[in-house]
Structure formats: C-alpha cells, structure tokens
Amino acid sequence: MAYYLGIDSSTQSMKGLVIDPAAGKIVASASVGFGTDLPQFKCPDGVLANSDPLVKHADPLMWLAALDLLLARLQASGADMARIAAIGGDGQQHGSVYLNASFAERLARLDPSAPLAEQLRPALARPTSPIWMDSSTSAECRELDAAFGARLQADTGSPAIERFTGPQIRKFAKTEPERYAQTARVHLVSSFLCSALIGRDAPIDSGDGAGMNVLNLRTLGWDAEIAEFTAPGLAQKLPPVGGGVAGALHPYFAKYGLRPGIPVAVWTGDNPASLVGTGAWGSGVAVVSLGTSDTFFAALDAFRTDPSGCGHVFGNPAGGFMSLACFKNGSLARDRVRKEAGASWEFFDVGAFERTPAGNAGRLALPWFEAEITPPVLTPGVRANFDFAAAEPEVRIRAVVEAQALALRSHALWIGTFDALRVTGGASKSAGIRQTLADVFQARVESIAVADSAALGGAMLAAHANGVPLARMTEAFSPVNAVCQPRPEHAAAYDKLLPEIRALESAEPLAP
Ligand code: XUL
C-alpha cells in the first residue's frame, strides 16, 4: 500500500515522517538539526547572530541544504522511498524568502548533480530571511494600524504583529528599496520549500498565509489595498493562494529514490499542520501544547476574530479556520516557580494538589517572568492577588497552575466551548496540571502521544490530497492514551474566578 511523506521545517530542525495509513503505522523518520548538522550556515539555534536583539534572521539556503540532507537520511534509513505516493509539509510560520526574476527558471532546470542550495543561491534577492522570532518591526506595525485600524484584524484575522510577514516585508521595502525592487517573488518558508519540490512556484495556503497580515480571510485572496500599502507592487510578487495539490515532484528528487511526478500537497504553517496531526481539525476539541511557551489552538466553526486582539485566526488545512494564541510564560515559568518554592517535580505535579483545595481559596498568580504575549504586557513580574513570596510552596504552585488554566479559558471564550482538550508537550505529563485544566474548562482532557505533530500533519495532508480520509488517520496516528475527567463539583468555583484573571492581568507586577 502507499506511503506518504510529511516534512516539518521548524525553527531549529527539519523532520521527515513516512506513514503507512493502511497499516496505521509510522514506517520511517529522520531529522536534520540546523546547528549540529549544518554549522556552515552559522545558525546554531536556527537564527543568524545579530547585534540588534530584536532582529532574528536565518539563511534560507540552510533550509534547502536541510531538505537535501533529510531526504538522503530517509533513504539511508532503509525507507522504501519508491512507495511514497505523495508528499506534504509545513514550515515555521511568518518567515519569508525574497527571490529575483531568475528563480522560476532556475527551479525548472534543477540538476541532480548539484545541491539545491548551490543552484538556487543566485536566485536570492535578499541573502537572509526574517523569521517569526523577529520583533524589529514595531514602526511598520503602527503604520499599518494607522492606515487600516480595526479592518486589519477584521479582514486578515490579526492586528499588525511584529513577527507577521507583512510588517517584515514593509520594513525590507523601506530600508532596502533596491533589493526589494529586485525581488520578483516573496515566499513563506512553507511555499519556498514546496516550490523546490515541484520545480516551480507553489501557492501559499490560507493556514500559513493568514500569518502575514496581507491575506483577506473573507475572500481568501490577497487584500489588494493592504498589500499595496505594505510594499509597492507586493500583490504581484506573491504566489497565488491555494490548497490541495501544488504540483508534481521534480525529477531532481529521483536521486533519493522518490518517484518523479508524485503529487506534492500545498505546504502549510507548522501550527495548522499540528492541528491536523493532533487530530483537532474538527470543532469541539482544542489543543493545549505545554512547552517552553504554551500554545492553545482549535478549529473555528466560522470566521470570527478575538475581540481582545490576542488570538490569531489562520486557515484550517482541513477546511474552514483555526484560532491560535501563544502564552509566552509556559514551562520555563513553571520550572522557575518550582525551583523557587524548593519543590521536586513529584511535589509540583501531584503533591501540591493533594495539599490544597481546588480554587486555592481564590489565590491566583500569573508567572510572567518574561514579557507576555497573551495579553501583550511588556513589564515582566509575577501578578498575584496574595502575598506570593510568603506563601507555602503548595499554595504558590496551585496559584500558578490555576491562573494559567484560567487565562487559557478566558482567552478562549471567543472561540467557543470545548468537549475535550488534547494536551501535548512535556508539562502535559503532570497529573495536577491535567486535572486543573479539566476542572477549569469542565472538559475531558485527553493525553495524546504524538511526538512530531506538525510532520505527521504534513504526511496526513499528503495522504488526504490522495483521497485518504483524515478521520481514519486521526484514529490510527493520534490515539488518546489517557483521559482525565472534569469534576463538576468544582465548576462553580472556577466560573467565579474567571473574571478575576482578567483583573489580575492588569495588576502591577510584584517586585522580582
Ligand atoms: C505562530 C508562531 C510560531 C511559529 C513557530 O504564530 O509564530 O508558533 O510558527 O514555528
């Protein structure tokens, strides 16, 4: 039976996963670490050094080198590459690649005897690519706000955001007008790599395109007025918006044992791909990814925007839309609270919850050790409604975990209600955190063991483009391995605390 390959080009690495949907199995995987495997590109954590801490760029040729190396590794792992019937993929969102007029022609005549990076190097109109970690475009964001006001969020799904591609393109056009003039094509990381696979310009999908502040989500086309304001002639420099199959695999890739001509699905962003890979592409299920930062995402039943401007709306590759909110202070903050309380992980994950009542007698603490994104708050510092430093470790721990869960619920109110939350990421192993989420949301909390949800989503989208139903793959590849049920007796206590969390968000920070 047919295999499908999914490729995830994330910030620090590129991963590939080959699935066999008929057997419900992952049959091969490989990865390339940008820092460890490709040190020549000088992006140790996926980012080039820069004297300005707000500027975060990467070398786009590194992504091409990673694609060559990843496919070579997959082949070397013994994967039956000839059985792969379609390829899908995704990229870190918002990052952009600037190409000159020779790009199309160089793509068309890719020569298997030379690496991709070498052949496409002369097609770069700008040697570096701003990525999502860049926050150097505040001036451009304010200019977009001034020009479009509330329409920007109402039509593109998000207010002007520093890391979004539109403000990044605007800054480039303003500061390097000659290079911008030489730019014939602007791609996202996702559409750039998809273009390399098919040997011609690939479309941008509405999942990743929505992270640009240029895509009109009501028409699902580039917004001509916003594009022209962003940078002169931008609409002509963007590839079309599209979904489904992007094109056929270029013969260049036959050297890895792949069959030229197999369909390549339009690539998407890593978060939309994860929505598919975690099995949350249908409504009523949200994903809470508890990592360095916490991310909350869910399918949206209709196009709608966050009245508080914190959450984003992206296209859902399975159809319709999805929401996403990023909470900067996630696991690093939890770990700091644990350390400062002198608690072991065992105590943090279980013990503290056995010694304190649900609701913590109203004591809440938002652990904002770093500037927060949801809501946008620049001054770091814990926000607490009690004497945080003097409290017992178990009280501090519950105060933080409950405050984070209430903040998630509060910022998800505009999305709708959920029967289930699917939790992933390191902190999802904590029984106390899972029970708190279940009680605060009054929803089932499902643990899923999907390691590379974005790459898996890419593979599932490839299979889906070939007619394999997503629902069947979700059952096989994203099974629920543990369920934590909500306790209805705690619903009222958390309902009462919900307004408190918004008040706490505007409180003064405690002294560090
Ligand atoms: C989403 C975002 C990040 C990147 C990470 O808006 O900026 O999640 O997609 O790769």
Side-chain angles (χ1 to χ4, degrees), residues 10-11 91-94 132 163-164 270-271 295 312 314 324:
S10 65
T11 313
Q92 54 173 306
Q93 293 199 250
H94 319 297
W132 66 277
R163 67 184 191 283
F164 276 40
D270 52 2
N271 294 299
T295 319
H312 305 304
F314 300 143
L324 175 132

Side-chain angles (χ1 to χ4, degrees), residues 381-457:
V382 173
R383 269 67 171 176
N385 60 2
F386 65 105
D387 189 350
F388 186 70
E392 295 298 321
E394 59 269 29
V395 171
R396 280 196 254 178
I397 291 167
R398 188 183 270 282
V400 160
V401 170
E402 287 188 341
Q404 287 182 319
L406 283 161
L408 285 170
R409 182 174 157 201
S410 161
H411 286 284
L413 285 174
W414 68 277
I415 304 168
T417 50
F418 306 99
D419 310 321
L421 300 183
R422 296 194 142 204
V423 288
T424 65
S428 68
K429 295 194 180 71
S430 162
I433 292 180
R434 289 202 308 271
Q435 187 64 58
T436 303
L437 284 168
D439 291 344
V440 166
F441 278 83
Q442 288 295 304
R444 211 166 59 239
V445 168
E446 304 175 339
S447 303
I448 48 167
V450 178
D452 297 316
S453 57
L456 175 62

Side-chain angles (χ1 to χ4, degrees), residues 308-392:
S308 76
C310 300
H312 305 304
V313 183
F314 300 143
N316 173 353
F321 301 91
M322 69 176 283
S323 61
L324 175 132
C326 182
F327 297 77
K328 183 82 172 282
N329 290 284
S331 286
L332 286 183
R334 284 184 284 270
D335 194 24
R336 182 158 160 188
V337 170
R338 181 188 66 80
K339 280 199 194 118
E340 288 179 0
S344 65
W345 274 123
E346 168 64 31
F347 186 81
F348 185 93
D349 292 339
V350 184
F353 296 91
E354 290 168 351
R355 294 166 68 138
T356 48
N360 211 19
R363 289 165 294 192
L364 294 169
L366 287 164
W368 290 349
F369 296 112
E370 300 232 18
E372 184 46 68
I373 296 178
T374 306
V377 171
L378 289 174
T379 323
V382 173
R383 269 67 171 176
N385 60 2
F386 65 105
D387 189 350
F388 186 70
E392 295 298 321

